[in-house]
Amino acid sequence: MTNPKSKVPPKGPTKKKKKNANNPNASPNSSSGNKPQQAKPTPASIHTTNTQPKRKAQRARAPPIQSQEEYADLLLAAQSLDEQERVSELMECARYGEVDAVRAILQVWDATDDDTTHKDDGGSDRADATDDAGHAERKLVNSTDSTGTTPLHKAAANGHLSAVSLLLSRGALHTRNESGNTPLHWAAGAGKAEVCFLLLDHFDALSNECAEESSASSTRVTRTGVKPLDVLQKNSFGRSALTEGFASGDTKTVEVLLNHDSAEEERLIGGLNRQEVDTEECDNHSAVADSQDSKEDSKNGIIHEFDFRKGLECDHDEKDNDKSVIIRELPIAHPDNPFGQTPSDDTTGLSIWCASLVMARWLSSPAMSSRLCNKHILELGAGCAVPSLAAMTYAHPASVTISDLNPDTMENIRYNIGLNPTNNCEVKACSIDWEDQQTYPDKKMDFVICSDCIYQKEIVPFLKKVVMGTLKKPSGEAQTNNDDNIGDDNDSGPSFLYVAPEGGRDGLPEFISAMKSHGFTRVLEEVAPESYRENPLKSGDEEDCFLHFHELVSTTYVLYEFRRC
């Protein structure tokens, strides 16, 4: 056999190492970032489903022999290999994509009864030689090295599509190595989209065949136990193939993984069938103290526990630093048209937007929380109410009013209020139609907050109207200078706080201009600190953070403050 070591430098992974949990290199650049100006962006947790008719999955088929003459020599060389050499040569040939060498080793040393009836000429017949679900007779193709890595791992990691096809057609299993990584993990992490598709499609086809055979005549010997691959299956470090795909930065790889049935929206948001909040933590929150209630939450949505003080320099109140915010988010109704025909039909607030997480970090910071203490706060377009409940938890305001318009969103806001202790703060949910001043709360506010709600120019006059109609007027003699005073450290006066992605939002320049011309001074416009975009989950689970909030690390957010003068 030829020794590929002498021809190609090593490049395939030998053992997957744990990545730094705070490593920003794992950002899913391929699936996030700024969206077109004329369309409101999809929340990070929405999974867009392909509406095209689904094709039938197909087994992998062995590629044709490249050279019959050379293949005859490879067969002779393979016959001289001892047991240890067979494994090592197969591993290396798979690693470097030497398809005919892999084929020769397997034909000589991994033959089954099928090989007596199926000519191994590299054609499509070999695909039909796949045996029972376990492929127990085929031992060499599923041999492992000292780390539990198989030839399929090696070929998949290096993107050798033909070698992967051949191994699968010869009965290669999709197994985990000692680090819990599967061939799909490695292919996804390396951004090998075609290999990912082939792996998923092959095992989908085998699973479908098993299902068909199990429903056929009981006199037939059927294969059992073949299951489709799961793109959310985690390795020993808590990372799934989908997470690895995001980290690769390859758009096509992410698309392939997200389009698989195992990444459907119900699993990503509401169908994980696990309780997201530890039961001991739930005992501290009356609304989720009952385990049965928590199971219902898992059926209808997913509950996140956030620690917005994590990673911030907070030494002024140690008790507050240990607190967390509990939020339920729900699958967005009608994700193909979540905005509906009227503002009250808009269901995008059922999901958590990454801009709201940045706002929550901002409000929870020591500098801002000290300004919010004993103040009256209103959140507009609150959605899941993350920022306002963070302010309630860490800043000790006098009151928090949380508003939106869609009935389902309002119901979820009330639910989320119940998940969190109020800390003697007056908290209420309020349905506000920005166009209808009669829906505004009677009490004027010290702070009005809003996250990423400007995405069309037509929204500007309504947002300006509701801000002016709900924010207090400054006490004392009003200032007449409406010029920007960015960097002014005077924190007095009623303020409107806003967070949005940098660029890409139609209407934001018009809103800034409108606020200046109607008695507001822009006192702050700065890029949010890196710490505001770190994983806010109390568990620190990078897998969950990538699945639900992958835009957080890959998007730049800007903090704005407009002060009424």
Side-chain angles (χ1 to χ4, degrees), residues 317-389:
D317 192 335
E318 294 183 359
K319 292 187 297 183
D320 285 345
N321 296 343
D322 294 333
K323 293 179 179 178
S324 57
V325 179
I326 311 296
I327 299 291
R328 180 182 73 172
E329 68 170 330
L330 300 171
I332 290 179
H334 313 297
D336 54 333
N337 182 28
F339 306 107
Q341 301 299 317
T342 66
S344 63
D345 295 333
D346 188 342
T347 61
T348 57
L350 295 174
S351 186
I352 295 175
W353 294 67
C354 289
S356 71
L357 299 177
V358 175
M359 172 67 84
R361 284 278 199 177
W362 187 17
L363 302 183
S364 303
S365 66
M368 185 58 71
S369 60
S370 63
R371 293 179 57 192
L372 299 177
C373 184
N374 296 320
K375 300 297 185 179
H376 300 283
I377 303 171
L378 166 66
E379 182 173 12
L380 299 172
C384 293
V386 178
S388 46
L389 291 179

Coordinates of all heavy atoms in Angstrom, one line a residue, residues 317-389:
D317 N -23.2 46.0 45.7 CA -24.3 45.3 46.4 C -24.2 43.9 46.1 O -24.7 43.4 45.1 CB -25.7 45.9 45.9 CG -26.8 45.4 46.8 OD1 -26.7 44.3 47.4 OD2 -27.9 46.1 46.9
E318 N -23.6 43.1 47.0 CA -23.3 41.7 46.7 C -24.6 40.9 46.6 O -24.6 39.9 45.9 CB -22.4 41.2 47.9 CG -21.0 41.8 47.9 CD -20.1 41.1 48.9 OE1 -20.6 40.2 49.7 OE2 -19.0 41.5 49.0
K319 N -25.6 41.3 47.4 CA -26.9 40.5 47.3 C -27.5 40.6 45.9 O -28.0 39.6 45.4 CB -27.9 41.1 48.3 CG -27.4 40.8 49.8 CD -28.6 41.2 50.7 CE -28.8 42.7 50.6 NZ -29.9 43.1 51.6
D320 N -27.4 41.8 45.3 CA -28.0 41.9 43.9 C -27.1 41.1 42.9 O -27.7 40.6 41.9 CB -28.0 43.4 43.5 CG -29.1 44.2 44.2 OD1 -30.0 43.5 44.7 OD2 -29.1 45.4 44.2
N321 N -25.9 41.0 43.2 CA -25.0 40.3 42.2 C -25.3 38.8 42.1 O -25.0 38.2 41.1 CB -23.5 40.4 42.6 CG -23.1 41.9 42.6 OD1 -23.7 42.7 41.9 ND2 -21.9 42.2 43.2
D322 N -26.0 38.2 43.1 CA -26.3 36.8 43.1 C -27.7 36.6 42.5 O -28.1 35.4 42.3 CB -26.3 36.2 44.5 CG -24.9 36.2 45.1 OD1 -24.0 36.1 44.3 OD2 -24.8 36.3 46.3
K323 N -28.4 37.6 42.1 CA -29.8 37.5 41.6 C -29.8 37.1 40.1 O -28.8 37.3 39.4 CB -30.6 38.8 41.8 CG -30.8 39.1 43.3 CD -31.6 40.4 43.4 CE -31.9 40.8 44.8 NZ -32.6 42.1 45.0
S324 N -30.9 36.5 39.7 CA -31.1 36.2 38.3 C -32.5 36.6 37.8 O -33.3 36.8 38.6 CB -30.8 34.7 38.1 OG -31.7 33.9 38.9
V325 N -32.6 36.6 36.5 CA -33.9 36.9 35.9 C -34.4 35.7 35.1 O -33.7 35.1 34.3 CB -33.7 38.1 34.9 CG1 -35.0 38.5 34.3 CG2 -33.1 39.3 35.7
I326 N -35.6 35.3 35.4 CA -36.2 34.2 34.7 C -37.2 34.6 33.6 O -38.1 35.4 33.9 CB -37.0 33.3 35.7 CG1 -36.2 33.0 37.0 CG2 -37.5 32.0 35.1 CD1 -34.9 32.2 36.7
I327 N -37.0 34.1 32.4 CA -37.8 34.6 31.3 C -38.2 33.4 30.5 O -37.4 32.5 30.1 CB -37.0 35.5 30.4 CG1 -36.6 36.8 31.1 CG2 -37.8 35.9 29.1 CD1 -37.7 37.7 31.5
R328 N -39.5 33.4 30.1 CA -40.0 32.4 29.2 C -40.2 33.0 27.8 O -40.8 34.1 27.7 CB -41.4 31.8 29.6 CG -42.0 30.8 28.7 CD -43.3 30.3 29.1 NE -44.4 31.3 28.9 CZ -45.7 31.0 29.1 NH1 -46.1 29.8 29.5 NH2 -46.6 32.0 28.9
E329 N -39.7 32.4 26.8 CA -40.0 32.8 25.4 C -40.8 31.7 24.7 O -40.6 30.5 25.1 CB -38.7 33.2 24.7 CG -37.8 32.0 24.3 CD -36.7 32.4 23.4 OE1 -36.9 33.3 22.5 OE2 -35.6 31.9 23.4
L330 N -41.6 32.0 23.8 CA -42.4 31.1 23.1 C -42.1 31.1 21.6 O -41.6 32.1 21.0 CB -43.9 31.5 23.3 CG -44.4 31.5 24.8 CD1 -45.8 32.2 24.8 CD2 -44.4 30.1 25.3
P331 N -42.5 30.0 20.9 CA -42.3 30.1 19.4 C -43.2 31.1 18.8 O -44.4 31.3 19.3 CB -42.8 28.6 19.0 CG -42.7 27.8 20.2 CD -43.0 28.7 21.4
I332 N -42.7 31.8 17.9 CA -43.5 32.9 17.2 C -44.5 32.3 16.3 O -44.3 31.4 15.5 CB -42.5 33.8 16.4 CG1 -41.7 34.6 17.3 CG2 -43.3 34.7 15.5 CD1 -40.7 35.5 16.6
A333 N -45.7 32.7 16.5 CA -46.9 32.2 15.7 C -46.7 32.7 14.3 O -46.3 33.9 14.0 CB -48.2 32.7 16.3
H334 N -47.0 31.9 13.3 CA -46.9 32.2 11.9 C -45.6 32.9 11.5 O -45.5 34.0 11.1 CB -48.1 33.2 11.5 CG -49.4 32.7 12.0 ND1 -50.0 31.6 11.6 CD2 -50.2 33.3 13.0 CE1 -51.2 31.5 12.3 NE2 -51.3 32.5 13.1
P335 N -44.4 32.1 11.7 CA -43.1 32.8 11.4 C -42.9 33.2 10.0 O -42.1 34.0 9.7 CB -42.1 31.6 11.8 CG -42.9 30.4 11.7 CD -44.3 30.7 12.1
D336 N -43.8 32.7 9.1 CA -43.7 33.2 7.7 C -44.2 34.6 7.5 O -43.9 35.3 6.6 CB -44.4 32.2 6.8 CG -45.9 32.0 7.2 OD1 -46.1 32.1 8.4 OD2 -46.7 31.7 6.3
N337 N -45.1 35.0 8.5 CA -45.7 36.4 8.5 C -46.0 36.8 9.9 O -47.2 36.9 10.3 CB -46.9 36.4 7.6 CG -47.5 37.9 7.5 OD1 -46.8 38.8 7.6 ND2 -48.8 38.0 7.3
P338 N -45.0 37.0 10.7 CA -45.2 37.2 12.2 C -45.8 38.6 12.5 O -46.3 38.8 13.6 CB -43.8 37.1 12.8 CG -42.9 37.5 11.7 CD -43.5 37.0 10.4
F339 N -45.8 39.5 11.5 CA -46.3 40.9 11.8 C -47.8 41.0 11.6 O -48.4 41.9 12.1 CB -45.5 41.9 10.9 CG -44.1 41.8 11.0 CD1 -43.3 41.2 9.9 CD2 -43.4 42.2 12.1 CE1 -41.9 41.1 10.1 CE2 -42.0 42.1 12.2 CZ -41.3 41.5 11.2
G340 N -48.4 40.1 10.8 CA -49.8 40.2 10.6 C -50.2 41.4 9.8 O -49.5 42.1 9.1
Q341 N -51.5 41.7 9.9 CA -52.1 42.8 9.2 C -52.1 44.1 10.0 O -52.1 45.2 9.4 CB -53.5 42.5 8.7 CG -53.6 41.2 7.8 CD -52.8 41.4 6.5 OE1 -52.8 42.4 5.9 NE2 -52.0 40.4 6.2
T342 N -52.2 44.0 11.3 CA -52.3 45.2 12.2 C -51.2 45.1 13.2 O -50.7 44.0 13.5 CB -53.6 45.3 12.8 OG1 -53.8 44.2 13.7 CG2 -54.7 45.3 11.7
P343 N -50.9 46.2 13.9 CA -49.9 46.1 15.0 C -50.2 45.1 16.1 O -49.3 44.5 16.6 CB -49.9 47.6 15.5 CG -50.3 48.4 14.4 CD -51.3 47.6 13.6
S344 N -51.5 44.9 16.4 CA -51.9 44.0 17.4 C -51.7 42.5 17.0 O -51.7 41.6 17.8 CB -53.3 44.2 17.8 OG -54.2 44.0 16.7
D345 N -51.4 42.3 15.7 CA -51.2 40.9 15.2 C -49.7 40.5 15.3 O -49.4 39.4 15.1 CB -51.6 40.8 13.7 CG -53.1 41.0 13.5 OD1 -53.9 40.7 14.4 OD2 -53.5 41.5 12.4
D346 N -48.9 41.5 15.6 CA -47.4 41.3 15.6 C -47.0 40.3 16.8 O -47.2 40.7 17.9 CB -46.7 42.6 15.8 CG -45.2 42.5 15.6 OD1 -44.7 41.4 15.7 OD2 -44.5 43.5 15.4
T347 N -46.5 39.1 16.4 CA -46.2 38.1 17.5 C -44.7 38.0 17.6 O -44.2 37.1 18.3 CB -46.7 36.8 17.1 OG1 -46.2 36.3 15.8 CG2 -48.2 36.8 17.0
T348 N -43.9 38.9 17.1 CA -42.4 38.8 17.2 C -42.0 39.0 18.6 O -40.9 38.6 19.0 CB -41.7 39.9 16.3 OG1 -42.2 41.2 16.7 CG2 -42.0 39.6 14.9
G349 N -42.8 39.6 19.5 CA -42.5 39.8 20.9 C -42.5 38.5 21.7 O -42.1 38.6 22.9
L350 N -42.9 37.4 21.1 CA -42.9 36.2 21.9 C -41.5 35.6 22.0 O -41.3 34.7 22.8 CB -43.8 35.2 21.2 CG -45.3 35.5 21.1 CD1 -46.1 34.5 20.3 CD2 -45.9 35.6 22.5
S351 N -40.6 36.1 21.2 CA -39.2 35.6 21.2 C -38.3 36.7 21.8 O -38.6 37.9 21.7 CB -38.8 35.3 19.8 OG -37.5 34.6 19.8
I352 N -37.2 36.3 22.3 CA -36.2 37.2 22.8 C -35.3 37.8 21.8 O -34.7 37.0 21.0 CB -35.4 36.5 23.9 CG1 -36.3 36.1 25.1 CG2 -34.3 37.4 24.4 CD1 -35.5 35.3 26.2
W353 N -35.2 39.1 21.7 CA -34.3 39.7 20.7 C -33.0 40.0 21.4 O -32.9 40.4 22.6 CB -35.0 41.0 20.2 CG -36.2 40.8 19.4 CD1 -37.4 40.3 19.8 CD2 -36.4 41.0 18.0 NE1 -38.3 40.2 18.8 CE2 -37.7 40.6 17.7 CE3 -35.5 41.5 17.0 CZ2 -38.1 40.7 16.4 CZ3 -36.0 41.7 15.7 CH2 -37.3 41.3 15.4
C354 N -31.9 39.9 20.7 CA -30.6 40.1 21.3 C -30.4 41.5 21.7 O -29.6 41.7 22.7 CB -29.5 39.7 20.3 SG -29.4 37.9 20.0
A355 N -31.0 42.5 21.0 CA -30.8 43.9 21.5 C -31.4 44.0 22.9 O -30.9 44.9 23.7 CB -31.5 44.8 20.5
S356 N -32.4 43.3 23.2 CA -33.0 43.4 24.6 C -32.1 42.8 25.6 O -32.1 43.3 26.8 CB -34.4 42.7 24.6 OG -34.2 41.3 24.6
L357 N -31.2 41.9 25.3 CA -30.3 41.3 26.2 C -29.2 42.4 26.5 O -28.7 42.5 27.6 CB -29.6 40.1 25.6 CG -30.6 38.9 25.4 CD1 -29.8 37.7 24.8 CD2 -31.3 38.5 26.7
V358 N -28.8 43.1 25.4 CA -27.8 44.2 25.6 C -28.4 45.3 26.5 O -27.7 45.8 27.4 CB -27.4 44.7 24.2 CG1 -26.4 45.9 24.4 CG2 -26.7 43.7 23.4
M359 N -29.7 45.6 26.2 CA -30.3 46.6 27.1 C -30.4 46.2 28.5 O -30.1 47.0 29.4 CB -31.7 46.9 26.5 CG -32.6 47.8 27.4 SD -32.0 49.5 27.5 CE -32.8 50.2 26.0
A360 N -30.7 44.9 28.7 CA -30.7 44.4 30.1 C -29.4 44.5 30.8 O -29.3 44.8 32.0 CB -31.2 42.9 30.1
R361 N -28.3 44.2 30.1 CA -27.0 44.4 30.6 C -26.7 45.8 31.0 O -26.1 46.1 32.0 CB -25.9 43.9 29.6 CG -25.8 42.4 29.4 CD -24.9 41.9 30.5 NE -24.4 40.6 30.1 CZ -23.6 39.8 30.8 NH1 -23.1 40.3 32.0 NH2 -23.1 38.7 30.4
W362 N -27.1 46.7 30.1 CA -26.9 48.2 30.4 C -27.6 48.6 31.6 O -27.1 49.3 32.5 CB -27.4 48.9 29.1 CG -27.1 50.4 29.1 CD1 -26.2 51.1 29.9 CD2 -27.7 51.4 28.3 NE1 -26.2 52.4 29.7 CE2 -27.1 52.6 28.7 CE3 -28.7 51.4 27.3 CZ2 -27.5 53.8 28.0 CZ3 -29.0 52.5 26.7 CH2 -28.5 53.8 27.1
L363 N -28.9 48.2 31.7 CA -29.7 48.6 32.9 C -29.2 48.0 34.2 O -29.4 48.6 35.3 CB -31.2 48.3 32.7 CG -31.8 48.9 31.4 CD1 -33.3 48.5 31.4 CD2 -31.7 50.4 31.4
S364 N -28.6 46.8 34.1 CA -28.1 46.1 35.2 C -26.7 46.6 35.7 O -26.3 46.2 36.8 CB -28.0 44.6 35.0 OG -29.3 44.1 34.5
S365 N -26.0 47.4 34.9 CA -24.7 47.8 35.2 C -24.8 48.8 36.4 O -25.8 49.5 36.6 CB -24.1 48.6 34.1 OG -24.8 49.8 33.8
P366 N -23.8 48.8 37.3 CA -23.8 49.7 38.5 C -24.1 51.1 38.2 O -24.9 51.7 38.9 CB -22.4 49.5 39.1 CG -22.0 48.1 38.6 CD -22.5 48.0 37.2
A367 N -23.5 51.7 37.1 CA -23.7 53.1 36.8 C -25.1 53.4 36.5 O -25.7 54.4 37.0 CB -22.8 53.5 35.7
M368 N -25.7 52.5 35.7 CA -27.1 52.8 35.2 C -28.1 52.4 36.3 O -29.1 53.1 36.5 CB -27.4 52.0 33.9 CG -28.8 52.4 33.4 SD -29.1 54.1 33.0 CE -28.0 54.3 31.6
S369 N -27.9 51.3 37.0 CA -28.9 50.9 38.0 C -28.9 51.9 39.2 O -30.0 52.1 39.7 CB -28.5 49.5 38.6 OG -27.2 49.5 39.2
S370 N -27.8 52.6 39.5 CA -27.9 53.6 40.5 C -28.8 54.8 40.0 O -29.4 55.4 40.9 CB -26.5 54.1 40.8 OG -25.9 54.7 39.7
R371 N -28.8 55.1 38.8 CA -29.7 56.1 38.2 C -31.2 55.7 38.2 O -32.0 56.6 38.3 CB -29.3 56.5 36.8 CG -27.9 57.1 36.7 CD -27.6 57.4 35.2 NE -28.6 58.3 34.6 CZ -28.7 58.5 33.3 NH1 -27.8 57.9 32.5 NH2 -29.6 59.3 32.8
L372 N -31.4 54.4 38.1 CA -32.8 53.9 38.0 C -33.4 53.7 39.4 O -34.6 53.6 39.5 CB -32.8 52.6 37.2 CG -32.3 52.6 35.8 CD1 -32.4 51.2 35.2 CD2 -33.2 53.6 34.9
C373 N -32.6 53.7 40.4 CA -33.1 53.5 41.8 C -34.2 54.5 42.2 O -34.0 55.7 42.0 CB -31.9 53.5 42.8 SG -32.4 53.1 44.4
N374 N -35.3 53.9 42.6 CA -36.5 54.8 43.1 C -37.1 55.6 41.9 O -37.8 56.5 42.2 CB -36.1 55.7 44.2 CG -35.7 54.9 45.5 OD1 -36.3 53.9 45.8 ND2 -34.6 55.4 46.1
K375 N -36.8 55.2 40.7 CA -37.4 55.9 39.6 C -38.6 55.1 39.0 O -38.8 53.9 39.3 CB -36.4 56.2 38.5 CG -35.2 57.0 38.9 CD -35.6 58.4 39.3 CE -34.3 59.2 39.7 NZ -34.7 60.6 40.0
H376 N -39.4 55.8 38.1 CA -40.5 55.1 37.4 C -40.1 54.8 36.0 O -39.6 55.7 35.3 CB -41.7 56.0 37.5 CG -42.2 56.4 38.9 ND1 -42.9 55.5 39.6 CD2 -42.0 57.5 39.6 CE1 -43.1 56.0 40.8 NE2 -42.6 57.2 40.8
I377 N -40.2 53.6 35.6 CA -39.7 53.1 34.3 C -40.8 52.5 33.5 O -41.7 51.8 34.0 CB -38.6 52.0 34.5 CG1 -37.5 52.6 35.4 CG2 -38.1 51.5 33.2 CD1 -36.5 51.5 35.8
L378 N -40.8 52.8 32.2 CA -41.7 52.3 31.2 C -40.9 51.6 30.1 O -40.1 52.2 29.5 CB -42.7 53.3 30.6 CG -43.5 52.9 29.4 CD1 -44.5 51.9 29.7 CD2 -44.2 54.2 28.8
E379 N -41.3 50.4 29.8 CA -40.7 49.7 28.6 C -41.7 49.6 27.5 O -42.8 49.1 27.7 CB -40.1 48.3 28.9 CG -39.5 47.7 27.7 CD -38.7 46.4 27.9 OE1 -38.9 45.8 29.0 OE2 -38.0 45.9 27.0
L380 N -41.3 50.1 26.3 CA -42.2 50.1 25.1 C -41.7 48.9 24.2 O -40.6 48.6 24.1 CB -42.0 51.4 24.3 CG -42.4 52.7 25.0 CD1 -42.0 53.9 24.1 CD2 -43.9 52.7 25.3
G381 N -42.7 48.3 23.6 CA -42.5 47.1 22.8 C -41.6 46.1 23.5 O -40.6 45.6 23.0
A382 N -42.1 45.7 24.7 CA -41.2 45.0 25.6 C -41.0 43.5 25.2 O -40.0 42.9 25.6 CB -41.9 45.0 27.0
G383 N -41.9 42.9 24.4 CA -41.8 41.5 24.0 C -41.8 40.6 25.3 O -42.8 40.5 26.0
C384 N -40.7 40.0 25.5 CA -40.6 39.1 26.7 C -40.3 39.8 28.0 O -40.1 39.2 29.0 CB -39.6 38.0 26.4 SG -40.0 36.8 25.1
A385 N -40.1 41.1 27.9 CA -39.9 41.9 29.1 C -38.5 41.7 29.8 O -38.4 42.0 31.0 CB -41.0 41.7 30.1
V386 N -37.5 41.4 29.0 CA -36.2 41.1 29.6 C -35.6 42.4 30.2 O -35.2 42.3 31.4 CB -35.2 40.5 28.5 CG1 -33.8 40.3 29.1 CG2 -35.8 39.2 28.0
P387 N -35.5 43.5 29.5 CA -34.9 44.7 30.1 C -35.6 45.2 31.4 O -35.0 45.5 32.4 CB -34.9 45.7 29.0 CG -34.9 44.9 27.7 CD -35.8 43.8 28.1
S388 N -36.9 45.3 31.3 CA -37.6 45.9 32.4 C -37.6 45.0 33.7 O -37.4 45.5 34.8 CB -39.1 46.1 32.1 OG -39.7 45.0 31.4
L389 N -37.6 43.7 33.5 CA -37.5 42.8 34.6 C -36.0 42.7 35.1 O -35.8 42.5 36.3 CB -37.9 41.4 34.2 CG -39.4 41.3 34.0 CD1 -39.8 39.8 33.6 CD2 -40.2 41.7 35.2

